[in-house]
Amino acid sequence: LNSVLQNVAASPGLREFLLAPEPAPPPEGETGAELSTALRRFVRRLHCAGAAAEPIRPVELLQAVSRRHAIYGRKAQQDAHEMLRQLLEGVRTEEAARLKSGAREATTKVSGEATTEPRTFIDDLFSGELRSTVVCLTCGAVSCSHEPFLDLSLPIPRTKMA
């Protein structure tokens, strides 16, 4: 988790968004952006307070994540990549809900189909589209598919030491 939070706090674009003034709170009766708020507070503690007198513990952020995904509340060893995925998806979901209630609605193309899902800063920074093309060797028919992603796992090739 430490490595994930250090990278999130140091990611250009994401860091600036989290350090900017908070967007307006959600209308009364709507759920808030608990995860986004906790992440924003954590990043601000890292960047705005100068040298910390004691270690900065991400307790509020961990509690917000574990309320959505109970597995992270068990204080056991967790997969950092999975935690990053849950964190980004959670913040993206909260931001999309906030934007839907506001004015910034844009058409986003997902899997070749237009949707009215608002494009968030998480989409701008982390999303992509994986395009796959398969050609039938018998008839030559071409099949294309498009799959959106927020993260992409790539193999790291082994190099021989000389």
Side-chain angles (χ1 to χ4, degrees):
L1 177 63
N2 188 31
S3 62
V4 167
L5 295 179
Q6 286 181 30
N7 281 287
V8 165
S11 296
L14 182 56
R15 178 185 58 238
E16 287 76 15
F17 182 85
L18 294 169
L19 292 174
E22 282 191 59
E28 194 168 319
E30 289 187 24
T31 58
E34 177 188 26
L35 191 54
S36 300
T37 300
L39 180 59
R40 187 180 301 272
R41 286 183 185 150
F42 174 73
V43 170
R44 285 184 177 168
R45 286 182 62 207
L46 289 176
H47 287 281
C48 297
E54 56 186 54
I56 296 173
R57 294 178 179 90
V59 175
E60 179 186 7
L61 183 56
L62 283 173
Q63 289 171 343
V65 172
S66 66
R67 278 191 276 282
R68 284 178 175 247
H69 307 282
I71 190 169
Y72 298 109
R74 297 186 190 136
K75 298 182 180 179
Q77 183 75 21
Q78 301 297 335
D79 180 5
H81 176 247
E82 194 62 33
M83 171 66 178
L84 176 61
R85 292 182 70 197
Q86 299 295 348
L87 182 63
L88 291 177
E89 187 57 40
V91 171
R92 186 199 174 286
T93 300
E94 291 175 354
E95 182 67 5
R98 185 185 71 78
L99 292 173
K100 279 182 184 178
S101 66
R104 185 189 166 201
E105 184 140 332
T107 301
T108 304
K109 198 170 185 180
V110 178
S111 299
E113 299 174 20
T115 67
T116 56
E117 183 73 18
R119 187 158 177 86
T120 69
F121 73 95
I122 295 291
D123 296 318
D124 292 341
L125 295 172
F126 296 101
S127 72
E129 183 176 74
L130 181 63
R131 297 178 185 189
S132 299
T133 304
V134 177
V135 179
C136 177
L137 296 176
T138 305
C139 67
V142 178
S143 172
C144 296
S145 65
H146 305 274
E147 182 180 350
F149 63 85
L150 283 179
D151 67 323
L152 185 61
S153 297
L154 300 172
I156 299 175
R158 292 184 123 185
T159 57
K160 294 182 180 181
M161 300 295 284

